Amino acid sequence: MTLGEVRAAYIAFFKERGHTVLPSAPIIPEGDATTLFTSSGMQPLVPYLMGKEHPEGVRLVNAQTCFRAGDVEEVGDNRHTTFFEMLGNWSLGDYFKHEQLPWVYEFLTKELGLPKDQLHFSCFAGHDTLGIGKDTEAADIWRSLGVSDDHIHFYDAKKNWWSRAGTPEEMPAGEIGGTDSEIFFDFGTPHDPAFGPTCHPNCDCGRFIEIGNSVFIQYIKNADGSFGELPKKNVDFGGGLERMVAATRGDVDMFRIDVFDAPRALLEARSGVAYGADANTTRVFRIILDHIRSATFMIAAGVVPGNREQGYVLRRLIRRAIREADTLGIKDAVLADAAASFTEVYGDAYPFVHAAAGKIAEELTKEEQKFRKTLVQGLKELEKMGDAIDAFTLLTTYGFPIELTEEIARERGIMLSMDAVRAQIEAHKAGSRAGAEQKFAGGLADHSEQTVAYHTAHHLLLKALQLVLGSEVHQRGSNITAERLRIDFSYGAKVTPEQLAEVERIVNEKIDEGLPVVRTVLPRAEAEQLGAEHEFGATYPDTVSVYSVGELGSAFSLEFCGGPHVENTRVLGEGGKRFKILKEEASSAGVRRIKAVLQ
Ligand code: SER
């Protein structure tokens, strides 16, 4: 079947069962500055899953355009894409497992005609600490539909619990989630022992592919880490549209479904390389196809290539697509033409993409010209360098990617030590950090990595408090060690657990967004004009240093500060750490105190 056919069949099936069809929410979330992209069908519905009444009723269905930046490194295999459409159906406190699981089974086996013996199902194995038992109810339902025991599998919370943040432990307070039951399609390809001795639905060798997931969203995480019941028990089903189409075709390669046919043929014609010729070029084709499709939808949603937030992600996708196209031997602009076939094929389902075709072509062409010029200039400089190739200068002065330097050098038989180049870049960064530290020593207990990370978290926290509690919040004191951070701030009432949960959520979002932390030195008056935060009662010289989280001018937070800070908020989340508020209490009249950790 084609993508359009499966999408239409799904919507019609659930419409017949009393569901209201919702349009896809924009891929850039509306009115939610804390997250860059819509990454699942349930995301725009969170308030309703938490209990708010939905104007369209309690049974909803749609196809949602999604983007998952976190999957970008996975792209290249047979099944991962950054952009995808998620088919969703929701019960907002209406039907539950006994209705939803049989429906989805009927849809897959009757409407799509998927062979029953190629379907596998996973259920929750139970969680002692949470006191949530094994989901025998879901397993019994699958059994009652004729699924044999060897097609029903139990997994723990790492696999069969769903929340936007991951496992129960990873969820911040205020986040919703629950156990789930996933559906896998067995493509029957041979198991690759590199992924483990035996194959099973959650094995990553590529034989089993998850095509759907019914989440029983019935829990909310409390500020003290325990789990409470939501006012209603909801079902949140999400199915991968492209993956279902691949299953109907019985071909495990997602990049052979109809929407990729025209752009794939275009790349073949321009490169003279046949798709599937070998593992390496197949990977390259997939990256280019994926990235151009994502870029098409992003520009259609109003994003333009830039240096921050969505614009930065878009720029990276475009530039990577160009570099990969270059390795296929495509030396002339190709992105706009490839995007034109996407705007065509998605035109019926998403008229706004078709309507933006001109803008998409224009932005892609501009960015491709600019980046190809950088590549040409970098190459010229590289030629001039002869055998003494200086990858560091090429990167820092000409923006020429080091991987590309490596490749060109290799063509000339020169082996560059990339570790040495990377070490040089690190030393350069550390050098500027050390310089900053010497100039501004004040404030922190020490300048260990942990203390510096807490210092940046402190900036994020202050801004998040202002967003949640109001602009009257200002810093009244701070104390930062390698173990934790403490902030005193002006605010006249106890902060509620919900507000604290929201503050935590915002800080964690900013950590996940990987925002640069930038230092700027400027006249005090100018910093004041920009609205930079400063501590009440402190005096500052005529020239001050400010730190912005995000680029100055469009920063999430801006403070008078001597540093030091991490270079990017991503560092705060390294090793899976999350920002967590431990305590909120009165400090003095009209001043509250919060202690928080990254753990
Ligand atoms: N929200 C769940 C997921 O993304 C199901 O829709 O898998």
Side-chain angles (χ1 to χ4, degrees):
M1 289 170 85
T2 67
L3 196 87
E5 285 164 358
V6 174
R7 191 197 293 114
Y10 176 83
I11 301 281
F13 182 89
F14 281 94
K15 209 172 151 188
E16 273 164 28
R17 284 155 187 80
H19 291 66
T20 305
V21 186
L22 298 180
S24 170
I27 199 167
I28 311 300
E30 268 174 336
D32 179 359
T34 61
T35 176
L36 289 184
F37 300 102
T38 303
S39 61
S40 62
M42 62 81 84
Q43 193 172 307
L45 295 172
V46 169
Y48 309 102
L49 291 162
M50 289 177 89
K52 192 174 161 190
E53 209 166 298
H54 197 288
E56 300 292 348
V58 292
R59 294 183 178 199
L60 307 171
V61 61
N62 85 349
Q64 173 66 46
T65 54
C66 299
F67 180 82
R68 287 191 179 171
D71 281 347
V72 70
E73 295 306 326
E74 315 274 352
V75 178
D77 66 11
N78 58 13
R79 60 196 181 283
H80 282 95
T81 55
T82 51
F83 170 88
F84 63 99
E85 282 177 78
M86 190 179 275
L87 299 177
N89 67 77
W90 293 273
S91 158
L92 302 176
D94 184 27
Y95 57 80
F96 207 49
K97 297 179 196 181
H98 281 278
E99 293 81 10
Q100 205 271 341
L101 299 182
W103 279 338
V104 72
Y105 190 76
E106 184 185 343
F107 174 72
L108 294 173
T109 54
K110 297 226 171 83
E111 299 292 322
L112 301 191
L114 299 183
K116 293 181 181 173
D117 59 355
Q118 282 174 268
L119 291 173
H120 285 250
F121 305 84
S122 69
C123 304
F124 187 56
H127 192 295
D128 288 347
T129 333
L130 290 180
I132 300 174
K134 187 170 173 173
D135 193 356
T136 49
E137 192 186 4
D140 285 344
I141 297 169
W142 293 126
R143 241 177 248 121
S144 75
L145 296 167
V147 178
S148 57
D149 277 344
D150 58 344
H151 282 229
I152 299 174
H153 312 261
F154 288 91
Y155 292 95
D156 65 14
K158 277 207 190 87
K159 296 290 178 195
N160 277 84
W161 175 279
W162 199 89
S163 80
R164 287 178 300 172
T167 60
E169 292 76 18
E170 288 162 338
M171 287 165 68
E175 185 66 44
I176 57 174
T179 65
D180 63 8
S181 188
E182 297 187 322
I183 305 166
F184 297 82
F185 191 76
D186 178 1
F187 281 89
T189 50
H191 172 60
D192 179 348
F195 294 87
T198 51
C199 203
H200 60 101
N202 273 311
C203 166
D204 282 330
C205 81
R207 170 182 156 190
F208 288 97
I209 293 189
E210 184 204 331
I211 56 171
N213 182 15
S214 300
V215 190
F216 311 115
I217 297 198
Q218 61 185 111
Y219 302 105
I220 180 160
K221 189 157 179 180
N222 298 321
D224 66 2
S226 65
F227 277 81
E229 295 262 347
L230 284 168
K232 290 173 188 157
K233 286 173 147 181
N234 312 293
V235 182
D236 157 38
F237 173 81
L241 173 57
E242 289 86 344
R243 292 173 173 207
M244 285 187 193
V245 178
T248 66
R249 303 178 72 250
D251 182 343
V252 72
D253 188 350
M254 222 62 51
F255 293 88
R256 286 199 190 271
I257 66 173
D258 62 296
V259 288
F260 291 115
D261 285 347
R264 207 180 52 234
L266 175 85
L267 295 179
E268 285 181 320
R270 293 282 180 91
S271 66
V273 178
Y275 177 71
D278 62 71
N280 187 41
T281 53
T282 302
R283 198 184 136 265
V284 171
F285 264 91
R286 289 169 174 166
I287 295 172
I288 304 171
L289 290 170
D290 170 77
H291 288 12
I292 298 179
R293 186 173 63 154
S294 294
T296 303
F297 273 85
M298 272 191 210
I299 300 172
V303 183
V304 291
N307 287 330
R308 55 185 294 266
E309 303 191 332
Q310 290 99 343
Y312 179 65
V313 177
L314 172 59
R315 171 162 283 166
R316 280 189 49 198
L317 290 173
I318 294 176
R319 294 189 168 195
R320 183 144 179 247
I322 297 167
R323 274 167 46 201
E324 297 292 353
D326 201 73
T327 68
L328 276 189
I330 303 178
K331 302 291 173 195
D332 295 323
V334 68
L335 265 52
D337 291 344
S341 40
F342 284 124
T343 55
E344 209 43 54
V345 74
Y346 282 101
D348 285 344
Y350 300 108
F352 69 93
V353 175
H354 198 252
K359 172 87 178 153
I360 294 165
E362 183 191 320
E363 291 297 339
L364 289 177
T365 305
K366 247 194 325 204
E367 189 68 13
E368 185 160 7
Q369 277 170 355
K370 209 187 313 175
F371 188 56
R372 283 193 183 269
K373 227 181 256 165
T374 304
L375 291 183
V376 170
Q377 200 188 350
L379 272 182
K380 255 194 223 143
E381 294 304 320
L382 195 140
E383 293 301 326
K384 275 195 225 153
M385 288 174 179
D387 283 353
I389 294 174
D390 181 352
F392 178 71
T393 304
L394 285 171
L395 173 75
T396 49
T397 315
Y398 302 99
F400 196 72
I402 54 172
E403 299 79 19
L404 213 58
T405 308
E406 185 185 13
E407 220 166 81
I408 292 159
R410 205 185 310 120
E411 272 170 18
R412 290 209 236 140
I414 301 169
M415 291 307 286
L416 285 181
S417 160
M418 280 301 126
D419 286 347
V421 177
R422 290 200 176 93
Q424 205 177 351
I425 293 166
E426 278 316 306
H428 173 72
K429 287 183 190 164
S432 28
R433 262 201 303 267
E437 280 167 28
Q438 274 155 22
K439 274 192 207 130
F440 306 96
L444 316 184
D446 57 61
H447 286 175
S448 67
E449 261 171 47
Q450 294 91 318
T451 307
V452 171
Y454 275 127
H455 188 196
T456 306
H458 195 277
H459 281 217
L460 292 175
L461 171 59
L462 177 61
K463 182 63 190 188
L465 285 167
Q466 289 172 334
L467 290 175
V468 174
L469 303 178
S471 54
E472 72 271 28
V473 168
H474 292 291
Q475 182 175 315
R476 287 286 185 269
S478 73
N479 184 299
I480 300 168
T481 70
E483 277 73 44
R484 53 109 185 101
L485 67 84
R486 199 180 77 197
I487 183 171
D488 289 353
F489 59 97
S490 51
Y491 188 63
K494 180 148 186 65
V495 188
T496 67
E498 287 72 19
Q499 288 168 328
L500 291 177
E502 178 62 8
V503 167
E504 278 186 346
R505 196 183 64 78
I506 295 175
V507 173
N508 281 313
E509 293 269 7
K510 295 297 148 191
I511 293 173
D512 291 343
E513 279 170 29
L515 300 174
V517 184
V518 186
R519 175 172 170 257
T520 312
V521 176
L522 73 180
R524 188 181 61 214
E526 229 175 281
E528 278 167 354
Q529 241 168 34
L530 283 170
E533 272 296 311
H534 43 84
E535 194 172 341
F536 181 71
T539 51
Y540 293 93
D542 288 338
T543 301
V544 295
S545 153
V546 296
Y547 269 88
S548 58
V549 179
E551 301 292 345
L552 188 73
S554 57
F556 168 69
S557 125
L558 184 64
E559 284 193 44
F560 278 65
C561 179
H565 281 279
V566 299
E567 292 210 348
N568 189 296
T569 58
R570 198 179 298 117
V571 174
L572 276 47
E574 266 168 19
K577 286 197 182 133
R578 307 308 290 161
F579 174 80
K580 211 169 161 326
I581 293 175
L582 294 183
K583 203 168 181 184
E584 189 275 342
E585 60 189 342
S587 165
S588 60
V591 178
R592 310 290 305 176
R593 170 169 292 183
I594 281 180
K595 276 190 194 154
V597 288
L598 293 162
Q599 68 179 22

